[in-house]
Amino acid sequence: MESDESSLCGDSNSESNYLDEVPQTYMNPGQQNTDQRTDGGTVQETDQGKKLFSWRKKPFETPECTFKGQSVTPPDDLFTPLEYFRKSITPEMLDSLKEQTNLYSVQKSDHHNNINTTVKELEILIGIYLRMGLCQLPGNRAYWENDTRCPIVADNMSRNGFQTLLTTLHFTDNTDHSNRQVEDKCWKIRPWLDMFRKQCLDITPEEYNSVDKQIVSFRGTRSPIRQYVKGKPHPWGLKIWACCSSSGILCDFVVYEDGTGKKTVLGMGSDTEVKLCETLPSNQNYKVFADNFFSSAPLVLKLLERQIYFVGTLRSNRLAGCMLEDDKSLAKRGRGSVDARVEKGESMVIVKWYDNKSVTLISSYCATEPQGKADKAFVEVNRSHIVKEYNTFMGG
């Protein structure tokens, strides 16, 4: 989730299969008529003549967006690793996991044998998995073999006990049909997901937050929500839409379930952004950052209804009728050149900035000023304020 000038400039259509998520009113040229204004702006109209957005070339006046929310300060004394663990995985979650695991062991066994696992054993199991993530070996058995033995793993649980517990680990009762929701592909872990999300929502959000996708590495073949995302360090895995604070703390998340067939209002990306921002307090001037998968002009207006300000990169098919200088014109002016248009209601601005390539951004609280310098390859390049803000806070 890192962002810098070079990656920002290359931020384009990384998931082109989702281009049809935006309502055609905003992206289908056959249904729109974009006219040039005499004052350098543009007006976007539908076939019915209804004006949607009007853009003008003028300075963007920064709104009064001083943060009014609860300030987050580091604790006087740092928590121990176990205390941090308890804040995410509660005793209630472990008790539920113990009950469902023991229940499944009885249902699975021909002789109805109960493995009678305990909360302590489950905590050791989770700890072992965390340790395996830090000290990776070719397979689970390697942690107990003589040549590759890992004492912190092998001394706390036997290999057979580890394998047995893994095969019976369960989060919900399979025989209770009330748990099976046809549209919910995560129903087998839904109770734990809901409890874990509740712990995330208890965290006080910071002023600056970013929304992006996360990939949980997973190569198993039986998951109905497994995804392949080309170009990622771990392309096979489970996709999660996540809202993180600028310090990297997970505040909210939604598991992506492909093929749900649900209709969206603003498009899947923008609707996901709105959903993740619903847990941010209204009228407190929170700032949210996202990449071009989520960004759109209607999204900016939707968030402004709750006084949440937005900055994000923007795809060329979501300009909402805004006519900007082409890349050749900006290239002639040199690196650091910029062009901007302000919406008639002065609620947002679209900025096109040229470095090695051009990048387009949309914002409701910052634009080109104040200009700064971006040091790259020992060359000073003029950098618009909106680019600085995006690179600073995107990637939590």
Side-chain angles (χ1 to χ4, degrees), residues 190-260:
R190 182 58 62 188
W192 245 57
L193 282 178
D194 291 342
M195 286 187 284
F196 179 70
R197 181 171 181 261
K198 180 178 180 297
Q199 295 304 114
C200 294
L201 295 179
D202 287 342
I203 299 173
T204 303
E206 300 177 21
E207 177 180 1
Y208 298 97
N209 301 272
S210 63
V211 173
D212 206 346
K213 57 181 173 292
Q214 294 181 342
I215 300 296
V216 179
S217 180
F218 177 72
R219 294 190 64 87
T221 58
R222 297 186 178 183
S223 173
I225 60 173
R226 187 184 67 149
Q227 300 287 312
Y228 176 79
V229 183
K230 184 179 179 181
K232 294 295 181 181
H234 301 285
W236 286 104
L238 313 179
K239 185 188 293 185
I240 296 176
W241 308 125
C243 179
C244 299
S245 65
S246 56
S247 60
I249 304 298
L250 179 65
C251 298
D252 198 4
F253 68 92
V254 175
V255 178
Y256 174 67
E257 302 176 46
D258 189 20
T260 58

Coordinates of all heavy atoms in Angstrom, one line a residue, residues 190-260:
R190 N -18.4 -16.2 9.8 CA -19.0 -15.0 10.1 C -19.1 -14.5 11.5 O -18.8 -13.4 11.8 CB -20.4 -15.0 9.5 CG -21.2 -13.7 9.6 CD -20.5 -12.5 9.0 NE -20.4 -12.8 7.5 CZ -19.6 -12.0 6.8 NH1 -19.0 -10.9 7.3 NH2 -19.6 -12.2 5.5
P191 N -19.3 -15.4 12.5 CA -19.4 -15.0 13.9 C -18.0 -14.4 14.3 O -18.0 -13.4 15.0 CB -19.7 -16.3 14.7 CG -20.4 -17.2 13.7 CD -19.8 -16.9 12.3
W192 N -16.9 -15.0 13.9 CA -15.6 -14.5 14.3 C -15.3 -13.2 13.6 O -14.7 -12.3 14.2 CB -14.5 -15.5 14.0 CG -13.9 -16.0 15.3 CD1 -14.5 -16.6 16.3 CD2 -12.5 -16.0 15.6 NE1 -13.6 -17.0 17.3 CE2 -12.3 -16.6 16.8 CE3 -11.4 -15.5 14.9 CZ2 -11.1 -16.7 17.4 CZ3 -10.1 -15.6 15.5 CH2 -10.0 -16.2 16.8
L193 N -15.7 -13.1 12.3 CA -15.5 -11.9 11.6 C -16.2 -10.7 12.2 O -15.6 -9.6 12.4 CB -15.9 -12.0 10.1 CG -15.0 -12.8 9.2 CD1 -15.7 -12.8 7.8 CD2 -13.7 -12.1 9.1
D194 N -17.4 -10.9 12.6 CA -18.2 -9.9 13.3 C -17.6 -9.4 14.6 O -17.6 -8.2 14.9 CB -19.7 -10.3 13.5 CG -20.4 -10.5 12.2 OD1 -19.9 -9.9 11.1 OD2 -21.4 -11.2 12.1
M195 N -17.1 -10.4 15.4 CA -16.5 -10.1 16.7 C -15.2 -9.4 16.5 O -14.9 -8.4 17.2 CB -16.4 -11.4 17.5 CG -17.7 -11.9 18.1 SD -17.5 -13.3 19.2 CE -17.1 -14.6 18.1
F196 N -14.4 -9.8 15.5 CA -13.2 -9.1 15.2 C -13.4 -7.7 14.7 O -12.7 -6.8 15.1 CB -12.3 -9.9 14.2 CG -11.0 -9.3 13.9 CD1 -10.0 -9.3 14.8 CD2 -10.8 -8.7 12.7 CE1 -8.8 -8.7 14.5 CE2 -9.6 -8.2 12.4 CZ -8.6 -8.1 13.3
R197 N -14.4 -7.5 13.8 CA -14.7 -6.2 13.3 C -15.1 -5.3 14.5 O -14.8 -4.1 14.5 CB -15.8 -6.3 12.3 CG -16.1 -4.9 11.7 CD -17.0 -5.1 10.5 NE -17.4 -3.8 9.9 CZ -18.5 -3.1 10.1 NH1 -19.4 -3.7 10.9 NH2 -18.7 -2.0 9.6
K198 N -15.9 -5.8 15.4 CA -16.3 -5.0 16.6 C -15.1 -4.5 17.3 O -15.1 -3.3 17.8 CB -17.2 -5.8 17.5 CG -17.7 -5.1 18.7 CD -18.6 -5.9 19.6 CE -19.1 -5.2 20.8 NZ -18.0 -4.7 21.7
Q199 N -14.0 -5.3 17.5 CA -12.8 -4.8 18.1 C -12.1 -3.7 17.3 O -11.6 -2.8 17.9 CB -11.9 -6.0 18.3 CG -12.4 -7.1 19.3 CD -12.8 -6.5 20.6 OE1 -13.9 -6.5 21.0 NE2 -11.8 -6.0 21.4
C200 N -12.2 -3.8 16.0 CA -11.6 -2.8 15.2 C -12.3 -1.5 15.3 O -11.7 -0.4 15.4 CB -11.6 -3.2 13.7 SG -10.5 -4.6 13.4
L201 N -13.7 -1.6 15.4 CA -14.5 -0.4 15.5 C -14.3 0.3 16.8 O -14.7 1.5 17.0 CB -16.0 -0.7 15.2 CG -16.3 -1.2 13.8 CD1 -17.8 -1.6 13.7 CD2 -15.9 -0.2 12.8
D202 N -13.9 -0.4 17.8 CA -13.6 0.2 19.2 C -12.4 1.1 19.2 O -12.2 1.9 20.1 CB -13.5 -0.8 20.2 CG -14.8 -1.5 20.5 OD1 -15.9 -0.9 20.2 OD2 -14.8 -2.6 21.1
I203 N -11.6 1.0 18.1 CA -10.4 1.9 18.1 C -10.8 3.3 17.6 O -11.5 3.5 16.7 CB -9.4 1.3 17.1 CG1 -8.9 -0.1 17.5 CG2 -8.2 2.2 16.9 CD1 -8.1 -0.9 16.5
T204 N -10.2 4.3 18.3 CA -10.5 5.7 18.0 C -9.9 6.0 16.7 O -8.6 5.9 16.5 CB -10.0 6.6 19.1 OG1 -10.6 6.3 20.3 CG2 -10.4 8.1 18.7
P205 N -10.6 6.4 15.6 CA -10.0 6.7 14.3 C -9.2 8.0 14.4 O -9.5 8.9 15.2 CB -11.2 6.9 13.4 CG -12.4 7.3 14.3 CD -12.1 6.6 15.6
E206 N -8.2 8.1 13.6 CA -7.4 9.3 13.5 C -7.9 10.2 12.4 O -8.9 9.9 11.7 CB -5.9 8.9 13.1 CG -5.3 8.0 14.2 CD -3.9 7.5 13.8 OE1 -3.3 8.2 12.9 OE2 -3.4 6.5 14.3
E207 N -7.3 11.4 12.3 CA -7.8 12.4 11.4 C -7.7 11.9 9.9 O -8.6 12.1 9.1 CB -7.1 13.7 11.5 CG -7.5 14.8 10.5 CD -6.8 16.1 10.7 OE1 -5.9 16.2 11.6 OE2 -7.1 17.1 10.0
Y208 N -6.6 11.3 9.6 CA -6.3 10.9 8.2 C -6.4 9.4 8.1 O -5.8 8.6 8.9 CB -4.9 11.3 7.8 CG -4.7 12.8 7.8 CD1 -4.1 13.5 8.9 CD2 -5.1 13.6 6.8 CE1 -3.9 14.8 9.0 CE2 -4.9 15.0 6.8 CZ -4.3 15.6 7.9 OH -4.2 17.0 7.9
N209 N -7.2 8.9 7.1 CA -7.4 7.5 6.9 C -7.3 7.2 5.5 O -7.6 8.0 4.6 CB -8.8 7.1 7.5 CG -9.0 7.4 8.9 OD1 -8.7 6.6 9.8 ND2 -9.5 8.6 9.3
S210 N -6.9 6.0 5.2 CA -6.9 5.5 3.8 C -7.7 4.2 3.6 O -7.7 3.4 4.5 CB -5.4 5.3 3.3 OG -4.8 4.3 4.1
V211 N -8.3 4.1 2.4 CA -9.1 2.9 2.1 C -8.4 2.2 0.9 O -8.1 2.9 -0.1 CB -10.5 3.3 1.7 CG1 -11.3 2.1 1.2 CG2 -11.2 3.9 2.9
D212 N -8.1 1.0 1.0 CA -7.5 0.2 -0.1 C -7.8 -1.2 0.1 O -8.4 -1.7 1.1 CB -6.0 0.5 0.0 CG -5.3 0.3 -1.4 OD1 -6.0 -0.3 -2.3 OD2 -4.2 0.7 -1.6
K213 N -7.3 -2.1 -0.9 CA -7.5 -3.5 -0.8 C -6.3 -4.1 -0.1 O -5.2 -3.7 -0.3 CB -7.8 -4.1 -2.1 CG -6.7 -3.8 -3.2 CD -7.1 -4.5 -4.5 CE -6.1 -4.1 -5.6 NZ -6.1 -2.6 -5.9
Q214 N -6.5 -5.2 0.6 CA -5.5 -6.0 1.2 C -5.7 -7.4 0.7 O -6.8 -7.9 0.6 CB -5.5 -6.0 2.7 CG -5.2 -4.6 3.3 CD -5.2 -4.6 4.8 OE1 -5.7 -5.5 5.4 NE2 -4.6 -3.6 5.4
I215 N -4.6 -8.1 0.5 CA -4.6 -9.5 0.1 C -4.1 -10.4 1.2 O -2.9 -10.2 1.6 CB -3.8 -9.8 -1.2 CG1 -4.4 -8.9 -2.4 CG2 -3.9 -11.3 -1.6 CD1 -5.8 -9.3 -2.8
V216 N -4.9 -11.3 1.7 CA -4.5 -12.3 2.7 C -4.0 -13.5 2.0 O -4.9 -14.2 1.3 CB -5.6 -12.6 3.7 CG1 -5.2 -13.6 4.7 CG2 -6.1 -11.4 4.4
S217 N -2.7 -13.8 2.0 CA -2.2 -14.9 1.2 C -2.9 -16.2 1.5 O -3.0 -16.6 2.7 CB -0.7 -15.0 1.5 OG -0.1 -16.0 0.7
F218 N -3.4 -16.9 0.5 CA -4.0 -18.2 0.7 C -4.1 -18.9 -0.7 O -4.6 -18.3 -1.7 CB -5.5 -17.9 1.2 CG -6.3 -19.2 1.3 CD1 -6.0 -20.1 2.3 CD2 -7.3 -19.5 0.4 CE1 -6.7 -21.3 2.4 CE2 -8.0 -20.7 0.5 CZ -7.7 -21.6 1.5
R219 N -3.5 -20.1 -0.7 CA -3.5 -20.8 -2.0 C -4.3 -22.0 -2.0 O -4.3 -22.9 -2.9 CB -2.0 -21.2 -2.3 CG -1.1 -20.0 -2.6 CD 0.2 -20.5 -3.1 NE 0.1 -21.2 -4.4 CZ 0.1 -20.6 -5.6 NH1 0.2 -19.2 -5.6 NH2 0.0 -21.3 -6.7
G220 N -5.1 -22.2 -0.9 CA -6.1 -23.3 -0.9 C -7.1 -23.2 -2.1 O -7.4 -22.2 -2.6
T221 N -7.6 -24.4 -2.5 CA -8.5 -24.4 -3.6 C -10.0 -24.5 -3.3 O -10.8 -24.5 -4.2 CB -8.1 -25.6 -4.5 OG1 -8.2 -26.8 -3.8 CG2 -6.7 -25.5 -5.0
R222 N -10.3 -24.6 -2.0 CA -11.7 -24.8 -1.7 C -12.4 -23.6 -1.2 O -13.6 -23.7 -0.8 CB -11.8 -25.9 -0.6 CG -11.3 -27.3 -1.0 CD -11.5 -28.3 0.0 NE -11.0 -29.7 -0.5 CZ -11.2 -30.8 0.2 NH1 -11.7 -30.7 1.4 NH2 -10.7 -31.9 -0.2
S223 N -11.8 -22.5 -1.2 CA -12.4 -21.3 -0.7 C -13.2 -20.6 -1.8 O -12.7 -20.4 -2.9 CB -11.4 -20.3 -0.2 OG -12.0 -19.0 0.1
P224 N -14.5 -20.3 -1.6 CA -15.3 -19.7 -2.7 C -15.0 -18.2 -2.9 O -15.5 -17.6 -3.8 CB -16.7 -19.8 -2.1 CG -16.6 -19.9 -0.6 CD -15.3 -20.6 -0.4
I225 N -14.1 -17.6 -2.0 CA -13.8 -16.2 -2.2 C -12.3 -16.0 -2.5 O -11.9 -14.9 -2.5 CB -14.2 -15.4 -0.9 CG1 -13.4 -15.9 0.3 CG2 -15.7 -15.5 -0.7 CD1 -13.6 -15.1 1.6
R226 N -11.6 -17.0 -2.9 CA -10.2 -16.9 -3.2 C -10.1 -16.1 -4.5 O -10.9 -16.3 -5.4 CB -9.6 -18.2 -3.4 CG -8.1 -18.2 -3.6 CD -7.5 -19.5 -3.9 NE -7.9 -20.1 -5.1 CZ -7.2 -20.9 -5.9 NH1 -6.0 -21.3 -5.5 NH2 -7.6 -21.4 -7.0
Q227 N -9.1 -15.2 -4.6 CA -8.9 -14.3 -5.7 C -7.5 -14.4 -6.2 O -6.6 -14.8 -5.5 CB -9.2 -12.8 -5.3 CG -10.6 -12.6 -4.7 CD -11.6 -12.6 -5.8 OE1 -11.4 -12.0 -6.9 NE2 -12.7 -13.3 -5.6
Y228 N -7.4 -14.0 -7.5 CA -6.0 -13.9 -8.1 C -5.9 -12.5 -8.5 O -6.6 -12.0 -9.4 CB -5.9 -14.9 -9.3 CG -4.5 -14.7 -10.0 CD1 -3.4 -15.2 -9.4 CD2 -4.4 -13.9 -11.1 CE1 -2.1 -15.1 -10.0 CE2 -3.2 -13.8 -11.7 CZ -2.0 -14.3 -11.2 OH -0.8 -14.2 -11.8
V229 N -4.9 -11.8 -7.9 CA -4.7 -10.4 -8.3 C -3.3 -10.3 -8.9 O -2.3 -10.4 -8.1 CB -4.8 -9.4 -7.1 CG1 -4.7 -8.0 -7.5 CG2 -6.2 -9.6 -6.4
K230 N -3.2 -10.1 -10.1 CA -1.9 -10.0 -10.8 C -1.1 -8.9 -10.4 O -1.5 -7.8 -10.1 CB -2.2 -9.9 -12.3 CG -0.9 -10.0 -13.2 CD -1.2 -9.9 -14.7 CE 0.0 -9.9 -15.5 NZ -0.3 -9.8 -17.0
G231 N 0.2 -9.2 -10.2 CA 1.2 -8.1 -9.9 C 1.4 -7.9 -8.4 O 2.2 -7.1 -8.0
K232 N 0.6 -8.6 -7.5 CA 0.8 -8.5 -6.1 C 1.9 -9.5 -5.6 O 2.1 -10.5 -6.2 CB -0.5 -8.8 -5.4 CG -1.6 -7.8 -5.6 CD -1.3 -6.5 -5.1 CE -2.4 -5.5 -5.3 NZ -2.1 -4.1 -4.8
P233 N 2.5 -9.1 -4.5 CA 3.5 -10.0 -3.9 C 3.0 -11.4 -3.6 O 3.7 -12.4 -3.8 CB 4.0 -9.3 -2.6 CG 3.7 -7.9 -2.8 CD 2.4 -7.9 -3.7
H234 N 1.7 -11.5 -3.2 CA 1.0 -12.7 -3.0 C -0.3 -12.7 -3.8 O -1.3 -12.3 -3.3 CB 0.7 -13.0 -1.5 CG 1.9 -13.0 -0.6 ND1 2.8 -14.0 -0.6 CD2 2.4 -12.1 0.2 CE1 3.8 -13.8 0.3 NE2 3.6 -12.6 0.8
P235 N -0.2 -13.1 -5.1 CA -1.3 -12.9 -6.0 C -2.6 -13.7 -5.6 O -3.7 -13.3 -5.9 CB -0.8 -13.3 -7.4 CG 0.4 -14.1 -7.1 CD 1.0 -13.6 -5.8
W236 N -2.3 -14.9 -5.0 CA -3.5 -15.7 -4.6 C -3.8 -15.5 -3.2 O -3.0 -15.5 -2.3 CB -3.1 -17.2 -4.8 CG -3.1 -17.7 -6.2 CD1 -2.0 -18.0 -7.0 CD2 -4.2 -18.0 -7.0 NE1 -2.4 -18.4 -8.2 CE2 -3.7 -18.4 -8.3 CE3 -5.6 -17.9 -6.8 CZ2 -4.6 -18.8 -9.3 CZ3 -6.4 -18.3 -7.9 CH2 -5.9 -18.7 -9.1
G237 N -5.1 -15.2 -2.9 CA -5.5 -14.9 -1.5 C -6.9 -14.5 -1.4 O -7.7 -14.5 -2.4
L238 N -7.2 -14.0 -0.2 CA -8.5 -13.5 0.1 C -8.5 -11.9 0.1 O -7.6 -11.4 0.7 CB -9.0 -14.0 1.4 CG -8.8 -15.5 1.7 CD1 -9.3 -15.8 3.1 CD2 -9.6 -16.3 0.6
K239 N -9.3 -11.3 -0.7 CA -9.3 -9.9 -0.8 C -10.2 -9.2 0.2 O -11.3 -9.6 0.5 CB -9.8 -9.5 -2.2 CG -9.7 -8.0 -2.5 CD -10.3 -7.6 -3.8 CE -9.6 -8.2 -5.0 NZ -10.2 -7.7 -6.3
I240 N -9.6 -8.2 0.8 CA -10.3 -7.5 1.9 C -10.3 -6.0 1.6 O -9.2 -5.4 1.3 CB -9.7 -7.8 3.3 CG1 -9.9 -9.2 3.6 CG2 -10.4 -6.9 4.4 CD1 -9.2 -9.6 4.9
W241 N -11.4 -5.3 1.6 CA -11.4 -3.8 1.6 C -11.2 -3.3 3.0 O -11.9 -3.7 3.9 CB -12.7 -3.3 1.0 CG -13.2 -3.9 -0.3 CD1 -14.4 -4.4 -0.5 CD2 -12.5 -3.9 -1.5 NE1 -14.5 -4.8 -1.8 CE2 -13.3 -4.5 -2.5 CE3 -11.2 -3.5 -1.9 CZ2 -12.9 -4.7 -3.8 CZ3 -10.8 -3.6 -3.2 CH2 -11.7 -4.3 -4.1
A242 N -10.2 -2.5 3.2 CA -9.8 -2.1 4.5 C -9.7 -0.6 4.6 O -9.2 0.1 3.7 CB -8.4 -2.7 4.9
C243 N -10.1 -0.1 5.8 CA -9.9 1.3 6.2 C -8.9 1.4 7.3 O -9.1 0.8 8.4 CB -11.2 2.0 6.6 SG -11.1 3.7 7.1
C244 N -7.8 2.0 7.0 CA -6.7 2.1 8.0 C -6.3 3.5 8.3 O -6.4 4.4 7.5 CB -5.4 1.4 7.5 SG -5.7 -0.4 7.2
S245 N -5.9 3.8 9.5 CA -5.5 5.1 9.9 C -4.1 5.3 9.3 O -3.4 4.4 8.8 CB -5.4 5.2 11.4 OG -4.4 4.4 12.0
S246 N -3.6 6.6 9.3 CA -2.4 6.9 8.7 C -1.2 6.2 9.4 O -0.1 6.1 8.9 CB -2.1 8.4 8.7 OG -2.3 9.0 10.0
S247 N -1.4 5.8 10.7 CA -0.4 5.1 11.4 C -0.4 3.6 11.2 O 0.4 2.9 11.8 CB -0.5 5.4 12.9 OG -1.8 4.9 13.4
G248 N -1.3 3.1 10.3 CA -1.3 1.7 10.0 C -2.3 0.9 10.8 O -2.2 -0.4 10.7
I249 N -3.2 1.4 11.6 CA -4.1 0.7 12.4 C -5.4 0.4 11.6 O -6.0 1.3 11.1 CB -4.4 1.4 13.7 CG1 -3.2 1.8 14.5 CG2 -5.4 0.6 14.6 CD1 -2.4 0.6 15.0
L250 N -5.8 -0.9 11.6 CA -7.0 -1.3 10.9 C -8.2 -0.8 11.7 O -8.4 -1.2 12.9 CB -7.0 -2.8 10.8 CG -8.2 -3.4 10.1 CD1 -8.3 -3.0 8.6 CD2 -8.2 -4.9 10.1
C251 N -9.1 0.0 11.1 CA -10.2 0.5 11.8 C -11.5 -0.1 11.3 O -12.5 -0.1 12.1 CB -10.3 2.0 11.5 SG -8.9 3.0 12.2
D252 N -11.6 -0.6 10.1 CA -12.8 -1.3 9.6 C -12.4 -2.1 8.4 O -11.4 -1.8 7.7 CB -13.9 -0.2 9.2 CG -15.3 -0.9 9.1 OD1 -15.4 -2.1 9.4 OD2 -16.2 -0.1 8.8
F253 N -13.2 -3.1 8.0 CA -12.9 -3.9 6.8 C -14.2 -4.5 6.3 O -15.2 -4.7 7.0 CB -11.8 -4.9 7.2 CG -12.3 -6.0 8.1 CD1 -12.9 -7.2 7.6 CD2 -12.2 -5.8 9.5 CE1 -13.3 -8.2 8.5 CE2 -12.7 -6.8 10.4 CZ -13.2 -8.0 9.9
V254 N -14.1 -4.9 5.1 CA -15.2 -5.7 4.4 C -14.5 -6.8 3.6 O -13.6 -6.5 2.8 CB -16.1 -4.8 3.5 CG1 -17.1 -5.7 2.8 CG2 -16.8 -3.7 4.3
V255 N -14.9 -8.0 3.8 CA -14.4 -9.1 3.0 C -15.1 -9.1 1.6 O -16.3 -9.0 1.5 CB -14.6 -10.5 3.7 CG1 -14.1 -11.6 2.8 CG2 -13.9 -10.5 5.0
Y256 N -14.3 -9.2 0.5 CA -14.8 -9.1 -0.8 C -15.3 -10.5 -1.2 O -14.6 -11.5 -1.1 CB -13.7 -8.7 -1.8 CG -14.1 -8.8 -3.3 CD1 -15.1 -8.0 -3.8 CD2 -13.5 -9.7 -4.1 CE1 -15.5 -8.0 -5.1 CE2 -13.9 -9.8 -5.4 CZ -14.9 -9.0 -5.9 OH -15.3 -9.0 -7.2
E257 N -16.6 -10.6 -1.6 CA -17.2 -11.8 -2.0 C -17.6 -11.7 -3.5 O -18.5 -10.9 -3.8 CB -18.4 -12.1 -1.2 CG -18.1 -12.3 0.3 CD -19.4 -12.5 1.2 OE1 -20.2 -13.3 0.8 OE2 -19.5 -11.8 2.2
D258 N -16.9 -12.3 -4.4 CA -17.2 -12.2 -5.8 C -18.5 -12.8 -6.2 O -18.9 -13.8 -5.6 CB -16.0 -12.9 -6.6 CG -16.1 -12.6 -8.1 OD1 -16.8 -11.6 -8.4 OD2 -15.5 -13.3 -8.8
G259 N -19.2 -12.2 -7.1 CA -20.4 -12.8 -7.7 C -21.6 -12.7 -6.8 O -22.4 -13.6 -6.9
T260 N -21.7 -11.7 -5.9 CA -22.9 -11.6 -5.1 C -24.1 -11.1 -5.8 O -25.2 -11.4 -5.4 CB -22.6 -10.6 -3.9 OG1 -22.3 -9.3 -4.4 CG2 -21.5 -11.1 -3.0

